[in-house]
Amino acid sequence: MTLRVQILKDKFSQSLGLPFKELLPETTIRLAISELKIKYKKRLFDPLITLWAFLSQVLDTDKTCHNAVSKIIAHLAESEVEVPSTDTSAYCQARARLPEKLLENIFNFSAQSLEEKVRPEYLWRGRNVKVIDGSTVSMPDTVENQKEYPQPSTQKEGCGFPIAKIGVIFSLVTGAAVALCIDVLNTHDIKLARRLYGFLKPNDVLLGDRAFCAYADMVTITKLDCDAIFRKHQSRTTTMQKGKIVGDCDKLVTWYKPKTCPKGLNKDEFDALPPSITVREIYYYIVIPGFRTQQVSLITTLLDKATYSTLEIVGLCGKRWDVELDLRHLKTTLGMDVLRCKSPSMVRKEIYVYLLAYNLLRSLMWSAGTTYTTPPLRLSLQSTRHHLIHFIPKLLAATPQKRLRIYLILLKVIAHKAVPDRPGRSEPRVRKRRPKAYPLMTKPRHELRKQLQTA
């Protein structure tokens, strides 16, 4: 058993360990295990092997447990040791034994490690910009999942899937995910955001859409020594008749504390709010064909026009769309849109491993871009994933001397072709592929079977 475990650790450290050696070294995983005082028996799937296999599983296009176990068997086949059974139960039980807090801590460490690589010249006006947004993920229709993450109330029982709401903060400079929270579907984005503000660091700038533009949140963010740029909420009217004009389409306005306590705040939090705050309002027009929004109003706590010009803030707001691309990478490129685990605890673990894998790819892109002077955000995450998967067998087969050279070639290949910069790009919002002409499920599957049998 000890020999098989050591062989697997060597294999994983050679294949995945080298590309991610700075972001997720083995010592970091062991430290996280010891800090949580996790005790485990000497078995093939110890926490380290299980985590590496789980990570390899979500990076692969075939995300089945059978494929993950098959990889492990293949790693052991060339050695003169007994190979494990092809049954996936041992691996699945090992994943279930992984504490959720362990994966959360390792994810947080990966985010912090990549943030520490950012040099001042990559920052916006010397400040680190974070982008916040919410999204949803679906999961298998099991009793446990339905109980904790119910499907939409508009769907009939047995005709939908449990859905979880996630809130994520991304780094604008690296594209990495730096914070995550998970809740039920009907949770408002601003409620998720209030659980994420604790991950902000002094001098950060938080960028978000109008769902986050609330009086209490502006106050909270400024108390953290941070600033915010949000699109103005639709419930507030835009007028240039009030406020102090500081430039074209740019003014300072005073917001007053709401008369009644908003939902999501308790009485103590509401009473602690100041009677008023001063914010800066900027509005501009979008003349790009195909854009649904034609006029945008921004609210920001960056009040100094001399330091933060109108055009710089408008340009930064245009990059808020990057968070949509980051979520698309997570959900579509990596496949997090439809999760596979059948219990709420495993669903949350799966989400953390997906974000960990995403950050590891971002770290690889950052290393490639900074090594070969290509903007890291202009590199393709999908291509990075493909190149990594194709290079893994070569890293495994190489000697220690050749492994570093292959790794540098991997970085060069990743940085070889940047995604074209297409500012103001507009495309018609239509689909060319025709969907299949099958009707939607409106009754549970067992009722539909009965209809087939009696027809």
Side-chain angles (χ1 to χ4, degrees):
M1 181 65 71
T2 304
L3 180 58
R4 291 196 298 175
V5 169
Q6 189 57 48
I7 291 171
L8 288 177
K9 286 178 181 177
D10 291 342
K11 295 290 185 181
F12 281 120
S13 64
Q14 291 168 18
S15 59
L16 291 176
L18 180 60
F20 308 138
K21 64 182 187 305
E22 296 178 358
L23 202 72
L24 192 64
E26 182 178 335
T27 53
T28 298
I29 302 174
R30 293 195 178 280
L31 179 61
I33 292 172
S34 63
E35 285 178 348
L36 293 174
K37 298 180 180 179
I38 299 171
K39 296 181 180 180
Y40 53 92
K41 298 179 181 178
K42 290 184 178 180
R43 54 183 63 167
L44 179 62
F45 291 107
D46 70 0
L48 189 64
I49 297 296
T50 306
L51 176 61
W52 281 120
F54 205 168
L55 188 60
S56 176
Q57 185 179 0
V58 300
L59 281 171
D60 206 332
T61 52
D62 183 353
K63 303 183 185 302
T64 62
C65 290
H66 285 284
N67 185 47
V69 173
S70 178
K71 284 182 184 179
I72 291 171
I73 293 174
H75 285 326
L76 294 173
E78 64 181 0
S79 305
E80 296 181 358
V81 295
E82 180 184 358
V83 296
S85 169
T86 57
D87 188 85
T88 61
S89 60
Y91 172 59
C92 293
Q93 291 172 30
R95 292 199 313 173
R97 286 193 298 268
L98 283 177
E100 187 178 328
K101 189 64 178 177
L102 172 66
L103 299 178
E104 181 183 352
N105 290 349
I106 294 175
F107 158 68
N108 291 335
F109 178 84
S110 73
Q112 177 64 28
S113 298
L114 188 50
E115 289 290 291
E116 291 173 355
K117 294 183 179 181
V118 179
R119 298 193 298 270
E121 59 265 28
Y122 290 102
L123 301 177
W124 180 80
R125 306 294 297 175
R127 305 185 68 174
N128 205 339
V129 180
K130 307 289 178 62
V131 195
I132 188 171
D133 206 358
S135 189
T136 58
V137 292
S138 69
M139 61 198 75
D141 188 12
T142 64
V143 175
E144 289 179 286
N145 286 344
Q146 284 283 11
K147 185 177 180 180
E148 191 146 349
Y149 302 108
Q151 68 184 42
S153 57
T154 54
Q155 293 179 329
K156 294 183 179 179
E157 185 178 349
C159 300
F161 293 93
I163 297 180
K165 186 77 171 284
I166 62 171
V168 191
I169 293 181
F170 292 92
S171 168
L172 187 66
V173 65
T174 65
V178 298
L180 167 75
C181 64
I182 309 168
D183 214 319
V184 296
L185 175 62
N186 61 358
T187 306
H188 195 279
D189 285 357
I190 205 167
K191 185 178 179 181
L192 296 175
R194 288 167 183 165
R195 292 165 53 185
L196 294 172
Y197 292 152
F199 290 93
L200 296 177
K201 297 180 178 180
N203 208 42
D204 281 352
V205 177
L206 186 63
L207 189 61
D209 62 19
R210 55 190 176 191
F212 308 99
C213 188
Y215 183 92
D217 294 74
M218 289 290 188
V219 172
T220 301
I221 293 170
T222 53
K223 284 184 176 180
L224 295 171
D225 292 328
C226 299
D227 285 292
I229 304 175
F230 296 144
R231 188 177 168 189
K232 190 176 184 179
H233 197 274
Q234 63 270 20
S235 64
R236 292 182 179 269
T237 58
T238 299
T239 175
M240 291 302 292
Q241 296 177 355
K242 296 181 180 180
K244 177 185 177 182
I245 296 177
V246 295
D248 294 336
C249 303
D250 195 341
K251 62 180 180 177
L252 299 179
V253 296
T254 301
W255 279 11
Y256 295 97
K257 180 179 176 179
K259 296 181 180 179
T260 58
C261 182
K263 293 181 179 179
L265 292 181
N266 58 43
K267 188 177 183 304
D268 292 337
E269 292 172 334
F270 179 69
D271 292 340
L273 295 176
S276 66
I277 58 170
T278 300
V279 296
R280 184 175 170 191
E281 181 175 352
I282 300 170
Y283 73 92
Y284 60 96
Y285 296 92
I286 297 177
V287 293
I288 301 173
F291 273 55
R292 291 176 297 177
T293 303
Q294 296 181 346
Q295 180 177 332
V296 176
S297 293
L298 300 180
I299 301 296
T300 179
T301 56
L302 298 170
L303 306 183
D304 188 358
K305 188 177 185 298
T307 305
Y308 309 101
S309 69
T310 307
L311 289 179
E312 285 179 324
I313 293 177
V314 171
L316 182 61
C317 184
K319 295 182 179 180
R320 194 209 69 82
W321 183 253
D322 287 0
V323 72
E324 307 289 348
L325 302 179
D326 294 336
L327 287 170
R328 187 187 70 178
H329 284 317
L330 269 172
K331 297 174 64 176
T332 304
T333 306
L334 295 185
M336 197 182 77
D337 187 24
V338 179
L339 303 173
R340 306 179 66 89
C341 293
K342 298 181 179 180
S343 68
S345 175
M346 284 303 303
V347 162
R348 291 188 291 270
K349 293 177 190 179
E350 190 176 3
I351 293 174
Y352 276 114
V353 174
Y354 264 110
L355 265 73
L356 177 59
Y358 170 81
N359 280 356
L360 295 178
L361 290 175
R362 283 293 185 186
S363 75
L364 205 53
M365 294 163 65
W366 184 264
S367 297
T370 53
T371 302
Y372 293 98
T373 62
T374 303
L377 292 182
R378 294 279 301 279
L379 302 179
S380 168
L381 188 133
Q382 179 72 293
S383 295
T384 301
R385 175 168 163 261
H386 288 163
H387 291 317
L388 173 64
I389 291 174
H390 295 156
F391 269 71
I392 280 176
K394 305 303 178 184
L395 290 168
L396 278 171
T399 60
Q401 293 76 16
K402 289 184 178 180
R403 199 169 293 131
L404 181 59
R405 183 174 64 85
I406 294 175
Y407 172 64
L408 293 175
I409 294 174
L410 170 62
L411 296 182
K412 187 174 182 180
V413 170
I414 291 172
H416 173 67
K417 190 174 182 180
V419 176
D421 185 19
R422 295 171 284 195
R425 180 188 180 198
S426 60
E427 294 287 343
R429 299 175 70 88
V430 294
R431 293 181 300 165
K432 185 175 181 180
R433 294 279 182 191
R434 270 59 175 175
K436 301 294 182 182
Y438 296 115
L440 293 174
M441 179 186 283
T442 56
K443 296 180 180 179
R445 193 172 293 276
H446 68 274
E447 292 184 16
L448 295 175
R449 287 200 195 100
K450 286 182 180 179
Q451 287 184 3
L452 289 176
Q453 293 170 0
T454 58

